Amino acid sequence: MKLNQFFKKAVDLGVTYDPRGKKSIEKMLKKETEKMKKLEGKEKDFYDEERAWNPFPDCRIINGTGEEEFNRIMVGIDIETPEMLLLDRLRERGEKIDGALIHHPEGRALADLEKIMPVQVDLLASVGVPVNVAEGLLHDRMGKIWRSIHADNLFRVERAAELLDIPAVCCHTITDNMVWKFMSKHICEHEYDNLGEILNAIMEIPEYVQYGKKGNPAIIVSGGKSSRPGKLYATEFTGGTNGPEQFFEAKARAGVGTILSMHATEKAVEEAKKHHIHIIQCSHMASDSLGVNLMLDEIKKVNSKLHVVPVSGFIRVERKKW
Ligand SMILES: [Fe+2]
Ligand SMILES: [Fe+2]
């Protein structure tokens, strides 16, 4: 399988599980293509053509033409220069590794991270928060993320990959969409008497079991084991990065009782407690691993040569179906 085939398949999977829905994504891409055709001058020079077909600004090939073979891959939640060197070292020792699949965005995928955040508007709409409210609240937070990432040293990993001749691709929201769907289906759609029962259900999932045994289990950060859950949603699994803290009040008004999250800031926990929303913080690395695993399982169905070297927080668990 070539790198661009791998990535196109990944994008298709991301769309299938996206809270925005396939139809609205197609509409968005069509509008973008029309806009692209009309651009002139500087606007045309700086336009990112990827936007006309790929609805995930935080997912892209960060090194390579796309024509490279991409079957034997190093997979990590974060792959930075140390892991690139590790990959190169393993190659030196005779291991055949074609390239790297990275979860957390690097390079241009990181530069454009805030542009995926409107996914959160659709995500919140699915739990009953009006789109105008979510959009209004999200606006400032997107500006903050944009300004803070803008000052980062964005292209160091991309450069390391270039120098070491390592084709590399970032798949962030694509796999986060998949784990969001998985948690919604396997955890949220069931009935529980209390948060303790939800914790137990999460701790049956192999990725969480492995992390739990290493001292990094799912934990309750707002509420207690005997608290009643109310309506349960996995709203903090996809959407680029944490939304604004004001989302908790909006969610409480919409009737949300308990939230599953990958990570929550102290400010978020404080705000959730204020509005009596419970939060179960599932292990971040286990959650990201689960999403990446679901994507790799689908890719394996079309590429039996797929071979994975897990690094940097990623643990490989294979599933036939879910
Ligand atoms: Fe993630
Ligand atoms: Fe993550």
Side-chain angles (χ1 to χ4, degrees), residues 3-4 6-8 10-11 46-66 70 100-113 115-116 154-155 158 166-174 295:
L3 173 57
N4 53 23
F6 180 99
F7 186 52
K8 286 223 166 70
V11 168
F46 285 96
Y47 183 75
D48 178 20
E49 285 180 15
E50 184 99 358
R51 294 289 62 82
W53 73 273
N54 166 7
F56 302 104
D58 60 346
C59 307
R60 70 195 290 149
I61 295 172
I62 62 160
N63 188 46
T65 62
F70 205 70
L101 167 65
I102 311 168
H103 179 59
H104 289 150
E106 290 292 344
R108 176 102 204 220
L110 177 58
D112 287 338
L113 176 65
K115 294 182 180 62
I116 192 70
L154 295 162
F155 304 103
E158 175 183 303
I166 299 169
V169 60
C170 294
C171 293
H172 186 230
T173 291
I174 290 174
M295 183 184 94

Side-chain angles (χ1 to χ4, degrees), residues 132-141 244 246-247 250:
N132 53 311
V133 173
E135 206 173 58
L137 293 173
L138 189 66
H139 186 260
D140 282 357
R141 172 85 181 147
Q246 299 97 307
F247 270 1

